[in-house]
């Protein structure tokens, strides 16, 4: 099997006596989107800072494309594209200038800023100061900046936060193109719908530890309860919502009884979301 793009073993980091990342281990393959899900304070940003060489691990190792993040930090960083809350854009420069500056920094030959701005839907606004950009435009420019060096490793934090549906779709297709070309994507988010859609595998992080790691489908199969939502009508015109758990011994009988005894108006099947599963495992939600 090809060696993983990211390989993390027993990685730990504390701020003082606050153990923010507590012995996490995982691999990310080339061309894979790895969703890293957890609520505020779970340890997502600290993990990204460790993997991108902004913090030094206190225990454990991280290898990026076979390079140790401590001893080969500079070389590993050349392979990374990062769109993160800490990513700085030069507000007094325009979009083209921002990207060109970055391309020079990364020594990218034959860089075409306009073509990239076109891909993120910013052409036409490329000559304006970034200071005048909306949050969504800055978000797209940060995504473009992350793609300047055609990186083999992409670290993205909530890449579609604050974007309208069309821009969200644009960012999703940029991610798909990058992975098709072999990039590994490390996606941190508390948006489980986006993580579910984009990720090949997801890891749930809770209090610095990975508490589950698998494909979204496998997690749903293992932890998730499927249910039927049934709307029944009463003689007085009122409606009522009932729920019947699927995959249980009494399911068939419960459905039979409902149809025999009630006036069933609608039936929908519903599968557990990643959010439901996260709450099942940790006792708390992903938001906040
Ligand atoms: P968010 O979704 O809010 O960004 P997160 O999952 O990225 O949260 P981290 O920022 O990694 O979580 O924080 C993990 C723990 O480390 C938290 O308890 C946080 O308070 C603490 N922490 C993070 N940064 C620092 C810092 N610079 N100094 C001290 N403690 C910190």
């Amino acid at each position: 099997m090809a060696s993983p793009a990211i390989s993390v073993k027993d990685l730990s980091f504390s701020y003082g006596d606050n153990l923010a990342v507590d012995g996490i281990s995982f691999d990310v393959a080339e061309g894979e989107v790895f969703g890293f899900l957890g609520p505020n304070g779970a340890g997502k940003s600290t993990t990204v800072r460790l993997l991108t060489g902004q913090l030094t691990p206190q225990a454990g190792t991280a290898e990026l494309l076979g390079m140790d993040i401590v001893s080969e930090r500079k070389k590993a960083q050349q392979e990374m594209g990062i769109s993160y809350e800490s990513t700085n854009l030069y507000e007094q420069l325009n979009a083209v200038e921002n990207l060109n500056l970055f391309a020079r920094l990364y020594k990218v030959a034959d860089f075409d800023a306009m073509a990239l701005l076109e891909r993120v839907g910013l052409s036409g606004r490329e000559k304006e100061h970034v200071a005048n950009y909306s949050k969504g435009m800055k978000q797209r420019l940060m995504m473009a900046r992350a793609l300047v060096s055609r990186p083999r490793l992409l670290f993205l934090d909530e890449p579609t936060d604050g974007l309208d549906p069309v821009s969200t779709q644009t960012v999703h297709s940029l991610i798909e193109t990058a992975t098709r070309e072999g990039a590994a994507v490390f996606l941190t988010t508390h948006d489980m719908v986006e993580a579910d859609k984009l990720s090949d595998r997801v890891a749930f992080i809770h209090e610095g530890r990975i508490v589950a790691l698998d494909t979204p489908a496998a997690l749903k199969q293992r932890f998730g309860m499927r249910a039927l939502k049934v709307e029944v009508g009463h003689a007085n015109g009122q409606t009522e919502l009932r729920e019947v758990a699927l995959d249980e011994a009494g399911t068939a009988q419960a459905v039979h009884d409902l149809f025999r005894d009630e006036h069933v108006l609608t039936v929908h099947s519903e599968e557990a979301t990643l959010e439901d599963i996260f709450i099942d495992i940790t006792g708390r939600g992903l938001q906040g």
Side-chain angles (χ1 to χ4, degrees):
M1 206 180 91
S3 53
I6 303 176
S7 181
V8 174
K9 289 199 180 65
D10 303 323
L11 201 65
S12 294
F13 188 88
S14 305
Y15 300 96
D17 51 16
N18 179 4
L19 188 53
V21 172
D22 184 6
I24 59 172
S25 301
F26 59 87
D27 287 344
V28 182
E30 281 184 16
E32 180 174 31
V33 179
F34 189 80
F36 204 58
L37 275 76
N40 295 133
K44 302 182 300 293
S45 306
T46 305
T47 303
V48 169
R49 285 188 214 121
L50 290 166
L51 298 183
T52 54
Q54 299 165 62
L55 282 176
T56 305
Q58 292 155 346
T61 56
E63 281 190 2
L64 292 298
L65 302 168
M67 293 173 274
D68 181 79
I69 194 56
V70 179
S71 60
E72 295 167 281
R73 182 166 62 96
K74 282 261 156 3
K75 233 168 88 190
Q77 283 174 333
Q78 286 292 320
E79 304 287 349
M80 295 174 189
I82 304 172
S83 174
Y84 228 70
E85 52 195 342
S86 54
T87 311
N88 287 321
L89 295 168
Y90 293 96
E91 301 258 333
Q92 293 314 314
L93 300 181
N94 67 36
V96 175
E97 290 164 341
N98 261 280
L99 295 186
N100 281 337
L101 198 78
F102 208 61
R104 277 201 297 280
L105 201 69
Y106 271 73
K107 300 187 174 66
V108 184
D110 304 325
F111 175 65
D112 184 349
M114 279 312 298
L116 186 51
L117 287 167
E118 176 95 38
R119 282 176 69 201
V120 298
L122 283 177
S123 55
R125 307 289 299 267
E126 71 276 2
K127 293 286 164 57
E128 288 173 43
H129 280 175
V130 169
N132 300 336
Y133 274 18
S134 68
K135 184 177 178 227
M137 290 167 74
K138 285 183 185 169
Q139 189 88 346
R140 280 181 280 161
L141 184 56
M142 270 166 37
M143 184 74 190
R145 210 188 91 153
L147 293 170
V148 163
S149 59
R150 286 181 226 100
R152 292 170 67 195
L153 304 166
L154 259 180
F155 292 90
L156 305 177
D157 178 45
E158 309 271 356
T160 58
D161 189 30
L163 294 188
D164 59 59
V166 175
S167 310
T168 297
Q169 195 47 52
T170 307
V171 169
H172 288 180
S173 20
L174 288 168
I175 294 174
E176 277 157 22
T177 308
T179 51
R180 220 177 307 120
E181 291 169 358
V185 177
F186 190 88
L187 175 75
T188 50
T189 180
H190 23 71
D191 180 344
M192 63 286 161
V193 177
E194 174 158 82
D196 193 355
K197 178 166 181 236
L198 293 179
S199 308
D200 296 299
R201 287 183 306 147
V202 295
F204 288 161
I205 181 162
H206 178 57
E207 295 174 354
R209 280 191 290 273
I210 291 178
V211 292
L213 194 172
D214 216 324
T215 63
L219 286 172
K220 286 176 195 167
Q221 215 171 28
R222 189 149 19 115
F223 297 103
M225 177 84 99
R226 297 190 303 148
L228 283 184
K229 300 267 187 208
V230 184
E231 195 185 6
V232 299
H234 294 302
N236 63 5
Q238 304 260 339
T239 60
E240 188 191 341
L241 206 59
R242 304 271 182 88
E243 193 171 299
V244 180
L246 288 171
D247 313 315
E248 288 191 346
T251 299
Q253 188 62 47
V255 172
H256 177 267
D257 291 352
L258 253 179
F259 276 87
R260 187 194 56 206
D261 302 337
E262 306 284 359
H263 177 45
V264 173
L265 299 172
T266 61
V267 179
H268 297 286
S269 67
E270 216 166 67
E271 70 173 355
T273 64
L274 291 182
E275 172 100 34
D276 298 332
I277 298 166
F278 192 91
I279 294 170
D280 265 6
I281 296 174
T282 66
R284 65 170 291 188
L286 285 161
Q287 303 297 331

